[in-house]
Amino acid sequence: MGLENKHIAVYVTGGIAVYKAAEVVRGFIRQGAVVRVAMTQDATKFVTPLTFGALTKQPVLTDLFAGDNDQFVPHIALADWSDLAVIVPATANVIAKMATGLADDAVSTTLLATTGLKVVVPAMNEHMWDAPATTRNIATLTADGVVVMQPDTGLLAEGYSGRGRLPEPSAIVDFVQHVWAKQTGRLRGRNVMVTAGGTRERIDPVRYISNDSSGKMGYALARAAANEGANVTLISSIISLSAPDSVHVITVSGAQEMLDTMKTYFAQQDAVIMAAAVADFKPVSVAEQKIKKTADNDLMTLQLTKNPDILKTLSVDKTDQIMVGFAAETEHLLTNAQHKLIDKKLDMLIANDVSRKDIGFNADQNQVTVIRPNVEPVQLPQMTKTKLSEQLIEMIADLLPGK
Ligand code: PMT
């Protein structure tokens, strides 16, 4: 589940971007991680250890020989404690030390003793970044299994624009979360397709039929799957929500377009989660021009025809994909949902009472019952769509055969 309860050691080395490291630390803490910081002496000239101590509520390691009575070897204690190490900002100097195994201060010594995942986030002058020695060192680190985040291009401290800027703190937190999920998540190496939002069935160039689906449920599921390391394809009719950078978002409009797009990706999927509210009907024809109001059309009839059933159509080509649907019901929740589970040949169906305003369509919370063939329904308590998605992704991961 993302970085929650993970032990992250943040190594701060000396550069003008040190101030941004404080925001990165806050970002990790917001994700539920426990953070400890080590700083080089140069870094302490830009921002004092007090800042990081106050943010983390943990002592900051700056000196190899400053251990208290409990920690005779503080650098080894920090190395052993950490699940992952993030070097931010990483100077050319610390990168060179890491590449050659040099250990001459608290930061480089602790990093040499760290066996877990290391993520380097470089920040330096463009010419230092492009220097052959730095290029060589980065290649060595990558070969050693260290993950390197590419620096941004933009205004440097020197006053000119170039490559070497520290990426924005939120991008760094997302990157680390993504790298961690890809290495340790329950869905690492899996392909998961999620749909979100209500389809839009065109009447004319400026009008459509749709429903109240905001896409929140689908986006939360996509994020939860990505946080578990899945390669996520999100087919969405919504453009107002944002997904993590790692999620491949494809925007569609009507049910037919959603189906055609899903067919393209279906064969490679391990699981398909259909949270979209697909319109059952669409206009028989789409007017080429905006339909005009005239003196004699006080009554207007719109003829509708059935849309394809996406889940049923995909099921025809199903190999071993886990198929998950949602049932939006305003009455006879469980009976109707059981019927849809069988009719659409699903592995799991999430029964959703959409008669309530505080859950379901367009709400931040949801309360659902999970139905599976030949298994007692599991009623989950009301919770945020984010929390619910984490639980549903766990349940779906349980259904996937081992790889
Ligand atoms: O987007 P939010 O505002 O967060 O709201 C979330 C939600 C209420 C939309 C979501 O939780 C939900 O219930 N989605 C399913 C809505 C729906 O279309 O339910 P249904 O009972 O009509 O359809 C059953 C299943 O078949 C659904 O998985 C649906 O995506 C799928 N379907 C429906 C029609 C169709 N032509 N093809 C389909 O594949």
Side-chain angles (χ1 to χ4, degrees):
M1 250 193 271
L3 298 175
E4 209 171 329
N5 296 324
K6 293 294 162 295
H7 289 181
I8 304 182
V10 173
Y11 296 88
V12 183
T13 67
I16 188 68
V18 165
Y19 73 98
K20 284 193 188 172
E23 261 311 304
V24 175
V25 166
R26 286 180 58 153
F28 289 146
I29 293 170
R30 255 185 245 119
Q31 298 291 320
V34 186
V35 182
R36 290 191 186 177
V37 174
M39 300 175 78
T40 60
Q41 290 302 324
D42 284 348
T44 64
K45 292 178 186 146
F46 291 92
V47 173
T48 68
L50 194 64
T51 303
F52 291 101
L55 286 174
T56 61
K57 319 261 183 302
Q58 303 278 352
V60 175
L61 180 67
T62 54
D63 184 347
L64 262 184
F65 304 102
D68 56 28
N69 288 340
D70 302 337
Q71 291 186 352
F72 292 110
V73 264
H75 60 290
I76 300 295
L78 181 60
D80 287 349
W81 171 86
S82 61
D83 295 311
L84 71 156
V86 182
I87 303 92
V88 57
T91 56
N93 186 44
V94 79
I95 289 169
K97 286 186 187 179
M98 287 175 76
T100 51
L102 242 168
D104 64 352
D105 65 2
V107 165
S108 53
T109 309
T110 313
L111 283 170
L112 191 61
T114 298
T115 53
L117 175 67
K118 294 177 209 136
V119 181
V120 164
V121 193
M124 64 193 75
N125 170 269
E126 183 177 39
H127 304 308
M128 292 170 80
W129 175 249
D130 287 338
T134 306
T135 306
R136 258 193 326 269
N137 291 334
I138 290 288
T140 303
L141 290 186
T142 308
D144 288 348
V146 174
V147 178
V148 179
M149 185 176 186
Q150 291 302 304
D152 273 355
T153 300
L155 190 66
L156 302 173
E158 294 77 1
Y160 53 84
S161 194
R163 190 139 182 257
R165 260 175 75 90
L166 193 78
E168 286 311 308
S170 61
I172 296 171
V173 173
D174 281 354
F175 181 83
V176 171
Q177 188 165 12
H178 173 66
V179 168
W180 180 251
K182 286 281 175 214
Q183 299 219 355
T184 64
R186 286 197 69 194
L187 294 180
R188 65 186 180 278
R190 305 285 195 174
N191 298 326
V192 175
M193 183 155 59
V194 182
T195 64
T199 59
R200 295 175 172 198
E201 310 300 335
R202 282 268 150 223
I203 299 171
D204 69 15
V206 294
R207 302 183 178 99
Y208 55 80
I209 302 172
S210 192
N211 54 61
D212 285 334
S213 171
S214 63
K216 288 177 187 172
M217 192 69 241
Y219 274 71
L221 283 158
R223 185 175 287 274
N227 283 349
E228 286 297 343
N231 308 312
V232 181
T233 306
L234 176 61
I235 316 287
S236 169
S237 63
I238 303 289
I239 48 166
S240 53
L241 296 179
S242 64
D245 284 350
S246 66
V247 171
H248 179 203
V249 183
I250 302 171
T251 309
V252 295
S253 182
Q256 185 64 53
E257 190 186 356
M258 184 172 271
L259 171 60
D260 293 343
T261 310
M262 291 182 79
K263 273 183 170 169
T264 316
Y265 295 91
F266 184 63
Q268 305 93 275
Q269 301 307 313
D270 294 291
V272 172
I273 311 172
M274 198 73 197
V278 182
D280 289 321
F281 295 92
K282 65 175 176 189
V284 169
S285 60
V286 182
E288 270 184 31
Q289 305 300 332
K290 182 182 171 210
I291 298 171
K292 290 260 180 273
K293 165 176 80 176
T294 60
D296 46 26
N297 71 354
D298 282 356
L299 266 184
M300 156 132 194
T301 306
L302 198 59
Q303 233 194 342
L304 302 177
T305 179
K306 249 193 191 147
N307 260 327
D309 188 299
I310 297 178
L311 278 171
K312 273 192 182 177
T313 312
L314 292 177
S315 290
V316 175
D317 295 326
K318 172 180 147 90
T319 49
D320 47 10
Q321 293 88 349
I322 297 296
M323 302 294 286
V324 181
F326 273 73
E329 306 295 342
T330 53
E331 57 179 352
H332 311 305
L333 179 68
L334 288 191
T335 318
N336 289 345
Q338 289 282 7
H339 174 72
K340 283 180 185 168
L341 178 78
I342 296 161
D343 184 46
K344 293 177 191 254
K345 299 189 177 62
L346 301 174
D347 299 289
M348 181 186 281
L349 189 110
I350 322 295
N352 207 167
D353 180 349
V354 291
S355 66
R356 284 169 53 183
K357 286 274 170 282
D358 57 333
I359 59 169
F361 281 106
N362 206 8
D364 289 331
Q365 302 227 334
N366 212 351
Q367 193 271 305
V368 301
T369 302
V370 179
I371 305 178
R372 292 186 39 218
N374 310 315
V375 178
E376 273 297 301
V378 179
Q379 190 178 4
L380 297 177
Q382 183 168 332
M383 61 187 103
T384 63
K385 285 180 177 170
T386 302
K387 274 273 160 244
L388 174 63
S389 297
E390 288 167 3
Q391 294 199 12
L392 293 176
I393 289 296
E394 284 285 324
M395 289 172 151
I396 293 164
D398 286 343
L399 298 183
L400 289 167
K403 255 191 179 172

